[in-house]
Amino acid sequence: NVICSGGSIPTFMGTPANGILYEWYGPLSDTTGNLGTALASTIANLTPTTIQANYTGTRYFALVVKTTGQVRCADTAFVSLTINPKPLVTPGNLIVCENTPSSGLGTFNLSSLNNAVGGSNTVTWFSNANRTTAINTPTAYMSISGKAYAIVTNLATGCSDTTSASLTVNVKPNAGADLVSTGAICNTIATVDL
């Protein structure tokens, strides 16, 4: 069983049978050490609590089954649960000038933030907070001031997390229309008699 941190915790399924006692133990760092104190569950199935599954890496849960009666027999089975961490993410920030005066629009290179917001992980950019509308050309994303949203994914583990980037469009000053002169400027060279 492999999940990402904060993901849905699986239920471990034993085989229910009459005349059997069930004891669950864990999380355990290995399958050879002392089992410690039994968990509260006394049935064949166990869904670890968020407290019991508050770790990263691989841990084990043990199911001890015991028969009832004058002669009690027991057996132990182990199940592993690996919890991979989400990738580390950081909010980003970009500032550009307006494309044209008074338009309010700027062109942002969101891809230039990939390393800053997600390190070496894969970054996918979206225009909405629900992250359902992908930005097809993140190297030239035209927008007003606001935010762009990202999903950062570690391809090795499949785990992901979200972050965003603040986008600021600075006003472009207007220098007015180009001046074109129709008159000619002549140079008069004087002649001097020596």
Side-chain angles (χ1 to χ4, degrees), residues 95-98 145 168-172:
I95 302 173
V96 298
C97 293
E98 279 181 310
S145 292
T168 303
V169 179
N170 282 345
V171 173
K172 183 175 184 178

Side-chain angles (χ1 to χ4, degrees), residues 12-139:
F12 305 135
M13 310 283 286
T15 303
N18 293 327
I20 298 293
L21 300 176
Y22 302 91
E23 293 177 354
W24 284 95
Y25 297 83
L28 309 168
S29 58
D30 58 53
T31 60
T32 59
N34 189 310
L35 297 180
T37 304
L39 302 175
S41 178
T42 57
I43 60 174
N45 301 336
L46 172 72
T47 303
T49 66
T50 54
I51 293 173
Q52 293 163 353
N54 186 22
Y55 61 86
T56 56
T58 300
R59 300 287 186 275
Y60 301 89
F61 290 84
L63 173 60
V64 177
V65 293
K66 299 176 180 179
T67 59
T68 59
Q70 290 182 345
V71 178
R72 294 193 175 187
C73 301
D75 194 15
T76 303
F78 293 90
V79 61
S80 66
L81 177 60
T82 299
I83 303 178
N84 289 317
K86 291 181 177 181
L88 295 176
V89 296
T90 305
N93 183 44
L94 281 177
I95 302 173
V96 298
C97 293
E98 279 181 310
N99 294 342
T100 56
S102 301
S103 69
L105 290 171
T107 301
F108 297 90
N109 181 0
L110 298 175
S111 296
S112 69
L113 289 177
N114 286 0
N115 191 58
V117 301
S120 61
N121 298 297
T122 299
V123 180
T124 307
W125 290 98
F126 299 84
S127 60
N128 61 328
N130 292 334
R131 294 167 179 84
T132 56
T133 306
I135 295 172
N136 294 324
T137 311
T139 54

